[in-house]
PDB file of all heavy atoms in Angstrom:
ATOM      1  N   TYR A   1      18.252 -11.523 -17.388  1.00  0.00           N
ATOM      2  CA  TYR A   1      19.028 -12.674 -16.924  1.00  0.00           C
ATOM      3  C   TYR A   1      18.388 -14.011 -17.312  1.00  0.00           C
ATOM      4  O   TYR A   1      18.982 -15.064 -17.073  1.00  0.00           O
ATOM      5  CB  TYR A   1      19.164 -12.625 -15.404  1.00  0.00           C
ATOM      6  CG  TYR A   1      20.036 -11.494 -14.918  1.00  0.00           C
ATOM      7  CD1 TYR A   1      19.492 -10.253 -14.610  1.00  0.00           C
ATOM      8  CD2 TYR A   1      21.407 -11.656 -14.783  1.00  0.00           C
ATOM      9  CE1 TYR A   1      20.286  -9.208 -14.177  1.00  0.00           C
ATOM     10  CE2 TYR A   1      22.215 -10.613 -14.349  1.00  0.00           C
ATOM     11  CZ  TYR A   1      21.640  -9.385 -14.057  1.00  0.00           C
ATOM     12  OH  TYR A   1      22.436  -8.345 -13.633  1.00  0.00           O
ATOM     13  N   ILE A   2      17.187 -13.964 -17.883  1.00  0.00           N
ATOM     14  CA  ILE A   2      16.401 -15.182 -18.063  1.00  0.00           C
ATOM     15  C   ILE A   2      16.430 -15.618 -19.524  1.00  0.00           C
ATOM     16  O   ILE A   2      15.928 -14.923 -20.407  1.00  0.00           O
ATOM     17  CB  ILE A   2      14.945 -14.950 -17.620  1.00  0.00           C
ATOM     18  CG1 ILE A   2      14.895 -14.342 -16.211  1.00  0.00           C
ATOM     19  CG2 ILE A   2      14.165 -16.259 -17.666  1.00  0.00           C
ATOM     20  CD1 ILE A   2      13.534 -13.818 -15.818  1.00  0.00           C
ATOM     21  N   SER A   3      17.030 -16.760 -19.781  1.00  0.00           N
ATOM     22  CA  SER A   3      17.011 -17.371 -21.116  1.00  0.00           C
ATOM     23  C   SER A   3      17.539 -18.787 -20.967  1.00  0.00           C
ATOM     24  O   SER A   3      18.237 -19.095 -19.989  1.00  0.00           O
ATOM     25  CB  SER A   3      17.877 -16.584 -22.107  1.00  0.00           C
ATOM     26  OG  SER A   3      19.252 -16.833 -21.878  1.00  0.00           O
ATOM     27  N   PRO A   4      17.250 -19.677 -21.922  1.00  0.00           N
ATOM     28  CA  PRO A   4      17.814 -21.031 -21.831  1.00  0.00           C
ATOM     29  C   PRO A   4      19.335 -21.032 -21.798  1.00  0.00           C
ATOM     30  O   PRO A   4      19.941 -21.953 -21.256  1.00  0.00           O
ATOM     31  CB  PRO A   4      17.274 -21.715 -23.097  1.00  0.00           C
ATOM     32  CG  PRO A   4      16.034 -20.959 -23.437  1.00  0.00           C
ATOM     33  CD  PRO A   4      16.317 -19.537 -23.058  1.00  0.00           C
ATOM     34  N   GLY A   5      19.956 -19.993 -22.364  1.00  0.00           N
ATOM     35  CA  GLY A   5      21.408 -19.917 -22.393  1.00  0.00           C
ATOM     36  C   GLY A   5      22.019 -19.155 -21.243  1.00  0.00           C
ATOM     37  O   GLY A   5      23.232 -18.959 -21.204  1.00  0.00           O
ATOM     38  N   GLU A   6      21.204 -18.708 -20.287  1.00  0.00           N
ATOM     39  CA  GLU A   6      21.740 -17.977 -19.141  1.00  0.00           C
ATOM     40  C   GLU A   6      21.158 -18.591 -17.870  1.00  0.00           C
ATOM     41  O   GLU A   6      21.648 -19.607 -17.398  1.00  0.00           O
ATOM     42  CB  GLU A   6      21.430 -16.483 -19.272  1.00  0.00           C
ATOM     43  CG  GLU A   6      22.234 -15.610 -18.321  1.00  0.00           C
ATOM     44  CD  GLU A   6      22.269 -14.140 -18.735  1.00  0.00           C
ATOM     45  OE1 GLU A   6      22.151 -13.829 -19.933  1.00  0.00           O
ATOM     46  OE2 GLU A   6      22.434 -13.300 -17.839  1.00  0.00           O
ATOM     47  N   CYS A   7      20.112 -18.034 -17.319  1.00  0.00           N
ATOM     48  CA  CYS A   7      19.433 -18.633 -16.172  1.00  0.00           C
ATOM     49  C   CYS A   7      18.058 -19.100 -16.646  1.00  0.00           C
ATOM     50  O   CYS A   7      17.260 -18.289 -17.117  1.00  0.00           O
ATOM     51  CB  CYS A   7      19.289 -17.631 -15.036  1.00  0.00           C
ATOM     52  SG  CYS A   7      20.864 -17.122 -14.310  1.00  0.00           S
ATOM     53  N   GLN A   8      17.803 -20.388 -16.487  1.00  0.00           N
ATOM     54  CA  GLN A   8      16.562 -20.957 -17.018  1.00  0.00           C
ATOM     55  C   GLN A   8      15.355 -20.574 -16.171  1.00  0.00           C
ATOM     56  O   GLN A   8      14.238 -20.496 -16.691  1.00  0.00           O
ATOM     57  CB  GLN A   8      16.675 -22.483 -17.102  1.00  0.00           C
ATOM     58  CG  GLN A   8      17.700 -22.977 -18.099  1.00  0.00           C
ATOM     59  CD  GLN A   8      19.104 -23.076 -17.526  1.00  0.00           C
ATOM     60  OE1 GLN A   8      19.374 -22.662 -16.399  1.00  0.00           O
ATOM     61  NE2 GLN A   8      20.021 -23.632 -18.305  1.00  0.00           N
ATOM     62  N   ILE A   9      15.564 -20.374 -14.885  1.00  0.00           N
ATOM     63  CA  ILE A   9      14.465 -19.956 -14.022  1.00  0.00           C
ATOM     64  C   ILE A   9      14.918 -18.747 -13.213  1.00  0.00           C
ATOM     65  O   ILE A   9      16.123 -18.511 -13.042  1.00  0.00           O
ATOM     66  CB  ILE A   9      13.956 -21.090 -13.097  1.00  0.00           C
ATOM     67  CG1 ILE A   9      15.066 -21.588 -12.163  1.00  0.00           C
ATOM     68  CG2 ILE A   9      13.403 -22.240 -13.933  1.00  0.00           C
ATOM     69  CD1 ILE A   9      14.604 -22.665 -11.184  1.00  0.00           C
ATOM     70  N   SER A  10      13.949 -17.981 -12.747  1.00  0.00           N
ATOM     71  CA  SER A  10      14.282 -16.751 -12.028  1.00  0.00           C
ATOM     72  C   SER A  10      13.209 -16.432 -11.016  1.00  0.00           C
ATOM     73  O   SER A  10      12.021 -16.616 -11.275  1.00  0.00           O
ATOM     74  CB  SER A  10      14.403 -15.578 -13.005  1.00  0.00           C
ATOM     75  OG  SER A  10      14.526 -14.337 -12.308  1.00  0.00           O
ATOM     76  N   TYR A  11      13.632 -15.929  -9.867  1.00  0.00           N
ATOM     77  CA  TYR A  11      12.675 -15.336  -8.949  1.00  0.00           C
ATOM     78  C   TYR A  11      11.887 -14.244  -9.664  1.00  0.00           C
ATOM     79  O   TYR A  11      12.394 -13.568 -10.558  1.00  0.00           O
ATOM     80  CB  TYR A  11      13.391 -14.701  -7.757  1.00  0.00           C
ATOM     81  CG  TYR A  11      13.886 -15.684  -6.734  1.00  0.00           C
ATOM     82  CD1 TYR A  11      15.251 -15.892  -6.549  1.00  0.00           C
ATOM     83  CD2 TYR A  11      13.005 -16.389  -5.938  1.00  0.00           C
ATOM     84  CE1 TYR A  11      15.721 -16.784  -5.597  1.00  0.00           C
ATOM     85  CE2 TYR A  11      13.459 -17.278  -4.985  1.00  0.00           C
ATOM     86  CZ  TYR A  11      14.816 -17.476  -4.820  1.00  0.00           C
ATOM     87  OH  TYR A  11      15.263 -18.362  -3.883  1.00  0.00           O
ATOM     88  N   ASN A  12      10.644 -14.070  -9.220  1.00  0.00           N
ATOM     89  CA  ASN A  12       9.759 -13.055  -9.792  1.00  0.00           C
ATOM     90  C   ASN A  12       9.515 -11.981  -8.730  1.00  0.00           C
ATOM     91  O   ASN A  12       8.438 -11.903  -8.131  1.00  0.00           O
ATOM     92  CB  ASN A  12       8.440 -13.708 -10.219  1.00  0.00           C
ATOM     93  CG  ASN A  12       7.604 -12.824 -11.114  1.00  0.00           C
ATOM     94  OD1 ASN A  12       7.896 -11.642 -11.290  1.00  0.00           O
ATOM     95  ND2 ASN A  12       6.548 -13.372 -11.676  1.00  0.00           N
ATOM     96  N   PRO A  13      10.529 -11.125  -8.471  1.00  0.00           N
ATOM     97  CA  PRO A  13      10.405 -10.192  -7.346  1.00  0.00           C
ATOM     98  C   PRO A  13       9.331  -9.132  -7.545  1.00  0.00           C
ATOM     99  O   PRO A  13       8.751  -8.651  -6.573  1.00  0.00           O
ATOM    100  CB  PRO A  13      11.798  -9.561  -7.255  1.00  0.00           C
ATOM    101  CG  PRO A  13      12.376  -9.708  -8.631  1.00  0.00           C
ATOM    102  CD  PRO A  13      11.819 -11.000  -9.159  1.00  0.00           C
ATOM    103  N   LEU A  14       9.059  -8.769  -8.794  1.00  0.00           N
ATOM    104  CA  LEU A  14       8.034  -7.753  -9.029  1.00  0.00           C
ATOM    105  C   LEU A  14       6.661  -8.284  -8.641  1.00  0.00           C
ATOM    106  O   LEU A  14       5.889  -7.599  -7.954  1.00  0.00           O
ATOM    107  CB  LEU A  14       8.048  -7.321 -10.497  1.00  0.00           C
ATOM    108  CG  LEU A  14       7.003  -6.275 -10.884  1.00  0.00           C
ATOM    109  CD1 LEU A  14       7.222  -4.978 -10.118  1.00  0.00           C
ATOM    110  CD2 LEU A  14       7.020  -6.029 -12.390  1.00  0.00           C
ATOM    111  N   GLN A  15       6.341  -9.513  -9.063  1.00  0.00           N
ATOM    112  CA  GLN A  15       5.043 -10.077  -8.699  1.00  0.00           C
ATOM    113  C   GLN A  15       4.915 -10.201  -7.186  1.00  0.00           C
ATOM    114  O   GLN A  15       3.870  -9.879  -6.611  1.00  0.00           O
ATOM    115  CB  GLN A  15       4.844 -11.448  -9.353  1.00  0.00           C
ATOM    116  CG  GLN A  15       3.530 -12.100  -8.963  1.00  0.00           C
ATOM    117  CD  GLN A  15       3.233 -13.363  -9.749  1.00  0.00           C
ATOM    118  OE1 GLN A  15       2.973 -13.312 -10.944  1.00  0.00           O
ATOM    119  NE2 GLN A  15       3.293 -14.504  -9.084  1.00  0.00           N
ATOM    120  N   MET A  16       5.980 -10.656  -6.532  1.00  0.00           N
ATOM    121  CA  MET A  16       5.947 -10.785  -5.075  1.00  0.00           C
ATOM    122  C   MET A  16       5.629  -9.444  -4.422  1.00  0.00           C
ATOM    123  O   MET A  16       4.720  -9.336  -3.588  1.00  0.00           O
ATOM    124  CB  MET A  16       7.294 -11.314  -4.584  1.00  0.00           C
ATOM    125  CG  MET A  16       7.412 -11.504  -3.081  1.00  0.00           C
ATOM    126  SD  MET A  16       7.918 -10.029  -2.166  1.00  0.00           S
ATOM    127  CE  MET A  16       9.586  -9.780  -2.778  1.00  0.00           C
ATOM    128  N   ALA A  17       6.371  -8.400  -4.815  1.00  0.00           N
ATOM    129  CA  ALA A  17       6.174  -7.096  -4.186  1.00  0.00           C
ATOM    130  C   ALA A  17       4.775  -6.554  -4.442  1.00  0.00           C
ATOM    131  O   ALA A  17       4.147  -5.959  -3.557  1.00  0.00           O
ATOM    132  CB  ALA A  17       7.225  -6.114  -4.703  1.00  0.00           C
ATOM    133  N   LEU A  18       4.265  -6.793  -5.654  1.00  0.00           N
ATOM    134  CA  LEU A  18       2.964  -6.224  -5.998  1.00  0.00           C
ATOM    135  C   LEU A  18       1.803  -7.032  -5.423  1.00  0.00           C
ATOM    136  O   LEU A  18       0.697  -6.503  -5.270  1.00  0.00           O
ATOM    137  CB  LEU A  18       2.840  -6.077  -7.514  1.00  0.00           C
ATOM    138  CG  LEU A  18       3.800  -5.025  -8.105  1.00  0.00           C
ATOM    139  CD1 LEU A  18       3.607  -4.909  -9.607  1.00  0.00           C
ATOM    140  CD2 LEU A  18       3.612  -3.663  -7.435  1.00  0.00           C
ATOM    141  N   ILE A  19       2.016  -8.292  -5.084  1.00  0.00           N
ATOM    142  CA  ILE A  19       1.008  -9.016  -4.302  1.00  0.00           C
ATOM    143  C   ILE A  19       0.824  -8.314  -2.957  1.00  0.00           C
ATOM    144  O   ILE A  19      -0.302  -8.039  -2.516  1.00  0.00           O
ATOM    145  CB  ILE A  19       1.403 -10.494  -4.104  1.00  0.00           C
ATOM    146  CG1 ILE A  19       1.242 -11.278  -5.416  1.00  0.00           C
ATOM    147  CG2 ILE A  19       0.557 -11.141  -2.999  1.00  0.00           C
ATOM    148  CD1 ILE A  19       1.796 -12.705  -5.347  1.00  0.00           C
ATOM    149  N   TRP A  20       1.954  -7.989  -2.302  1.00  0.00           N
ATOM    150  CA  TRP A  20       1.867  -7.305  -1.014  1.00  0.00           C
ATOM    151  C   TRP A  20       1.280  -5.905  -1.169  1.00  0.00           C
ATOM    152  O   TRP A  20       0.505  -5.451  -0.311  1.00  0.00           O
ATOM    153  CB  TRP A  20       3.243  -7.255  -0.351  1.00  0.00           C
ATOM    154  CG  TRP A  20       3.683  -8.607   0.111  1.00  0.00           C
ATOM    155  CD1 TRP A  20       4.649  -9.399  -0.439  1.00  0.00           C
ATOM    156  CD2 TRP A  20       3.139  -9.357   1.204  1.00  0.00           C
ATOM    157  NE1 TRP A  20       4.746 -10.588   0.241  1.00  0.00           N
ATOM    158  CE2 TRP A  20       3.832 -10.585   1.257  1.00  0.00           C
ATOM    159  CE3 TRP A  20       2.148  -9.104   2.145  1.00  0.00           C
ATOM    160  CZ2 TRP A  20       3.558 -11.556   2.216  1.00  0.00           C
ATOM    161  CZ3 TRP A  20       1.873 -10.073   3.096  1.00  0.00           C
ATOM    162  CH2 TRP A  20       2.565 -11.280   3.130  1.00  0.00           C
ATOM    163  N   ASN A  21       1.625  -5.228  -2.257  1.00  0.00           N
ATOM    164  CA  ASN A  21       1.027  -3.921  -2.523  1.00  0.00           C
ATOM    165  C   ASN A  21      -0.492  -4.042  -2.630  1.00  0.00           C
ATOM    166  O   ASN A  21      -1.239  -3.235  -2.062  1.00  0.00           O
ATOM    167  CB  ASN A  21       1.603  -3.346  -3.815  1.00  0.00           C
ATOM    168  CG  ASN A  21       0.853  -2.117  -4.286  1.00  0.00           C
ATOM    169  OD1 ASN A  21       1.017  -1.027  -3.766  1.00  0.00           O
ATOM    170  ND2 ASN A  21      -0.013  -2.303  -5.280  1.00  0.00           N
ATOM    171  N   SER A  22      -0.959  -5.060  -3.357  1.00  0.00           N
ATOM    172  CA  SER A  22      -2.403  -5.229  -3.556  1.00  0.00           C
ATOM    173  C   SER A  22      -3.127  -5.541  -2.258  1.00  0.00           C
ATOM    174  O   SER A  22      -4.246  -5.079  -2.034  1.00  0.00           O
ATOM    175  CB  SER A  22      -2.660  -6.337  -4.581  1.00  0.00           C
ATOM    176  OG  SER A  22      -2.144  -5.987  -5.846  1.00  0.00           O
ATOM    177  N   LEU A  23      -2.492  -6.333  -1.389  1.00  0.00           N
ATOM    178  CA  LEU A  23      -3.128  -6.648  -0.108  1.00  0.00           C
ATOM    179  C   LEU A  23      -3.248  -5.403   0.766  1.00  0.00           C
ATOM    180  O   LEU A  23      -4.235  -5.238   1.488  1.00  0.00           O
ATOM    181  CB  LEU A  23      -2.330  -7.732   0.620  1.00  0.00           C
ATOM    182  CG  LEU A  23      -2.332  -9.125  -0.025  1.00  0.00           C
ATOM    183  CD1 LEU A  23      -1.430 -10.067   0.761  1.00  0.00           C
ATOM    184  CD2 LEU A  23      -3.739  -9.697  -0.130  1.00  0.00           C
ATOM    185  N   ALA A  24      -2.243  -4.526   0.703  1.00  0.00           N
ATOM    186  CA  ALA A  24      -2.293  -3.306   1.516  1.00  0.00           C
ATOM    187  C   ALA A  24      -3.280  -2.293   0.968  1.00  0.00           C
ATOM    188  O   ALA A  24      -4.030  -1.666   1.730  1.00  0.00           O
ATOM    189  CB  ALA A  24      -0.897  -2.682   1.596  1.00  0.00           C
ATOM    190  N   THR A  25      -3.312  -2.125  -0.351  1.00  0.00           N
ATOM    191  CA  THR A  25      -4.148  -1.085  -0.968  1.00  0.00           C
ATOM    192  C   THR A  25      -5.541  -1.575  -1.306  1.00  0.00           C
ATOM    193  O   THR A  25      -6.440  -0.770  -1.567  1.00  0.00           O
ATOM    194  CB  THR A  25      -3.490  -0.579  -2.254  1.00  0.00           C
ATOM    195  OG1 THR A  25      -3.396  -1.660  -3.197  1.00  0.00           O
ATOM    196  CG2 THR A  25      -2.106  -0.001  -1.989  1.00  0.00           C
ATOM    197  N   ARG A  26      -5.727  -2.913  -1.351  1.00  0.00           N
ATOM    198  CA  ARG A  26      -6.966  -3.550  -1.817  1.00  0.00           C
ATOM    199  C   ARG A  26      -7.227  -3.208  -3.294  1.00  0.00           C
ATOM    200  O   ARG A  26      -8.342  -3.290  -3.781  1.00  0.00           O
ATOM    201  CB  ARG A  26      -8.185  -3.141  -0.995  1.00  0.00           C
ATOM    202  CG  ARG A  26      -8.292  -3.793   0.378  1.00  0.00           C
ATOM    203  CD  ARG A  26      -7.309  -3.276   1.387  1.00  0.00           C
ATOM    204  NE  ARG A  26      -7.728  -3.639   2.755  1.00  0.00           N
ATOM    205  CZ  ARG A  26      -7.040  -3.313   3.836  1.00  0.00           C
ATOM    206  NH1 ARG A  26      -5.899  -2.633   3.732  1.00  0.00           N
ATOM    207  NH2 ARG A  26      -7.491  -3.652   5.029  1.00  0.00           N
ATOM    208  N   ASP A  27      -6.162  -2.857  -4.002  1.00  0.00           N
ATOM    209  CA  ASP A  27      -6.258  -2.417  -5.389  1.00  0.00           C
ATOM    210  C   ASP A  27      -5.378  -3.334  -6.231  1.00  0.00           C
ATOM    211  O   ASP A  27      -4.187  -3.496  -5.948  1.00  0.00           O
ATOM    212  CB  ASP A  27      -5.770  -0.965  -5.493  1.00  0.00           C
ATOM    213  CG  ASP A  27      -6.053  -0.334  -6.852  1.00  0.00           C
ATOM    214  OD1 ASP A  27      -5.973  -1.042  -7.871  1.00  0.00           O
ATOM    215  OD2 ASP A  27      -6.339   0.879  -6.889  1.00  0.00           O
TER     216      ASP A  27
END
């Protein structure tokens, strides 16, 4: 969905979820 001709900015849901994963696992 991300391109200058479609949506120029986008939520980064994978990074968000994996930040929480890292805090829980300490990994």
Side-chain angles (χ1 to χ4, degrees):
Y1 291 91
I2 309 168
S3 76
E6 194 162 333
C7 294
Q8 294 86 353
I9 61 177
S10 171
Y11 284 112
N12 194 350
L14 179 62
Q15 178 172 291
M16 180 274 294
L18 293 181
I19 287 172
W20 290 107
N21 170 77
S22 296
L23 293 176
T25 63
R26 284 73 163 180
D27 190 324

